Amino acid sequence: MTGLESILAQITGDAAQEAEKLLAQGREEAAASLDAAKAEAEKKAQEILDQGEARALAIRERAASAAQLKQRNRMLAFKQQLIEEALSAGLSSLEEAPAEDYFTALLGLAARYAQPGPAEMRLSARDLKRLPADFPARLKEAAPQADIAISQKPWETGGGFLLVTGDIDINCTFQAIFEELREPLRDAVGRLLFAEG
């Protein structure tokens, strides 16, 4: 081998070594880049998974809250229905009470609503037929401030009466009284029906 060939062989050998070294370094850098990319991809995947779990938890919490609200609303509607049924039953019970109790209730209403001076009490045809004989006297005792005459002309009230004083008509029907006292009655019935303990 000549000197030139030896130099060329040396250069070729050095170039091959350098190329192998550069190739190995490239492989290492590619592996490091691949590992970094894998780590970054895993980190991003975990972030996406964590966000998905957080969203799923929020959706479950909202659904549970909505279900609880719906249940509370149904229970409230049921309670309101029971209260209305109890009020309706109370009104019917009053309207269908035995004559003695019924007319005692009318005396209480007359005492409460009668104004001083002359007045006329208008009853239903049913009440005029079953009016106790002593009712006018008891009416004078119950409402001494008023001079209440019982009209013989029937007025359909359902239950209770209409008290006419001059130009003023005072509706003393049980229905009107229940409407006037609806909120306090609803509260009282609610406390009775749904008392805790």
Side-chain angles (χ1 to χ4, degrees), residues 52-64:
E53 288 175 353
R55 284 189 199 128
L57 179 62
I59 289 169
R60 279 194 302 271
E61 288 173 353
R62 281 195 306 269

Side-chain angles (χ1 to χ4, degrees), residues 100-112:
E100 180 60 32
D101 296 339
Y102 180 87
F103 286 103
T104 299
L106 294 188
L107 290 173
L109 288 174
R112 180 173 178 190

Side-chain angles (χ1 to χ4, degrees), residues 118-184:
E120 181 181 63
M121 178 182 282
R122 296 182 184 167
L123 299 165
S124 69
R126 174 182 175 242
D127 291 346
L128 285 172
K129 287 178 188 172
R130 64 185 189 141
L131 190 68
D134 66 341
F135 188 76
R138 290 173 60 199
L139 185 57
K140 279 198 185 307
E141 287 176 24
Q145 75 278 16
D147 180 22
I148 302 174
I150 298 172
S151 172
Q152 294 307 306
K153 181 179 177 187
W155 183 69
E156 286 313 310
T157 64
F161 58 89
L162 180 68
L163 190 61
V164 180
T165 307
D167 292 342
I168 300 171
D169 291 353
I170 303 170
N171 189 343
C172 295
T173 60
F174 296 145
Q175 183 68 42
I177 302 300
F178 265 64
E179 286 303 317
E180 178 184 331
L181 301 173
R182 178 166 284 293
E183 289 309 311

Side-chain angles (χ1 to χ4, degrees), residues 20 29 37 59 64 69 86 103 195:
E20 189 59 41
E29 287 176 9
I59 289 169
L69 179 62
F103 286 103

Side-chain angles (χ1 to χ4, degrees), residues 22-66:
L22 287 174
L23 192 57
Q25 185 180 357
R27 286 186 190 121
E28 287 176 16
E29 287 176 9
S33 290
L34 185 59
D35 288 344
K38 278 184 183 178
E40 182 65 24
E42 287 174 4
K43 180 181 171 186
K44 289 281 186 198
Q46 189 60 47
E47 286 175 4
I48 290 169
L49 183 61
D50 291 344
Q51 289 173 356
E53 288 175 353
R55 284 189 199 128
L57 179 62
I59 289 169
R60 279 194 302 271
E61 288 173 353
R62 281 195 306 269
S65 178

